[in-house]
Amino acid sequence: MTSLRRIQKELTDIKNKPIEGVSVEPQEDNLFIWKCSIKAASDSPYKGGTFHFKLSLPDNFPFKPPTVAFTTKIYHPGINDEGSICVSVLRDQWKPAISLSSVLDIIQEKVNHPSPDDPYEPEIAAQLKDDQPRFLAVAKEWTKKYAS
């Protein structure tokens, strides 16, 4: 199965060249499901927090993108209540040549540097744009409550 070979190669690449602040743990009995986490950067509104998510690879990977679902609550304009993250590379910008370590890099960047553009949560995005101190206070509060 091509998908499985590609996934094994991707895992080997990530193990050989780990991404700082990101951990990846494939399910023992199913390499198509990875438990991942991101430790927020020190310059992030979420510093001190570790955010867990599940990366699920479709049977026809790499021709279809993985799906990502955060299991740790996060006050973020690009991540909704269900844990979905708004990243174009996981939607309409997907290409089979994109490596999973690139995907993890993009997710890490998105988590650490929230942007009000292309939001899943318009209210949070508006707050980030119009009342940044309030946004930062709530982000910090949620990080302490859910991600410490």
Side-chain angles (χ1 to χ4, degrees):
M1 184 192 245
T2 331
S3 297
L4 199 54
R5 272 201 310 273
R6 167 75 184 262
I7 292 167
Q8 287 167 324
K9 181 198 176 305
E10 297 267 3
L11 276 168
T12 302
D13 292 350
I14 290 168
K15 279 192 176 32
N16 292 339
K17 202 174 164 238
I19 303 162
E20 195 180 331
V22 176
S23 78
V24 171
E25 196 56 55
Q27 264 187 15
E28 242 172 77
D29 58 345
N30 185 353
L31 288 182
F32 287 81
I33 297 178
W34 298 6
K35 278 196 252 162
C36 306
S37 67
I38 290 175
K39 188 153 181 30
S42 58
D43 64 346
S44 162
Y46 310 101
K47 74 171 174 231
T50 300
F51 299 89
H52 300 273
F53 61 95
K54 188 171 90 178
L55 187 127
S56 306
L57 298 152
D59 292 340
N60 54 354
F61 178 80
F63 303 103
K64 287 273 184 270
T67 55
V68 170
F70 274 79
T71 52
T72 306
K73 276 177 75 89
I74 182 171
Y75 191 75
H76 195 291
I79 301 171
N80 68 15
D81 279 346
E82 287 80 55
S84 297
I85 185 168
C86 191
V87 177
S88 58
V89 81
L90 296 175
R91 296 187 326 246
D92 49 358
Q93 307 276 307
W94 177 256
K95 292 184 179 45
I98 296 171
S99 74
L100 291 174
S101 74
S102 295
V103 169
L104 293 167
D105 273 337
I106 291 165
I107 293 169
Q108 182 182 41
E109 175 64 27
K110 179 91 172 185
V111 166
N112 281 320
H113 303 101
S115 158
D117 308 325
D118 192 22
Y120 258 4
E121 295 292 334
E123 297 79 27
I124 299 175
Q127 187 183 54
L128 173 57
K129 208 182 279 184
D130 306 330
D131 187 0
Q132 197 176 16
R134 178 80 192 116
F135 165 80
L136 292 170
V138 177
K140 189 176 179 178
E141 189 182 305
W142 280 40
T143 299
K144 213 164 121 180
K145 192 170 179 179
Y146 302 111
S148 297

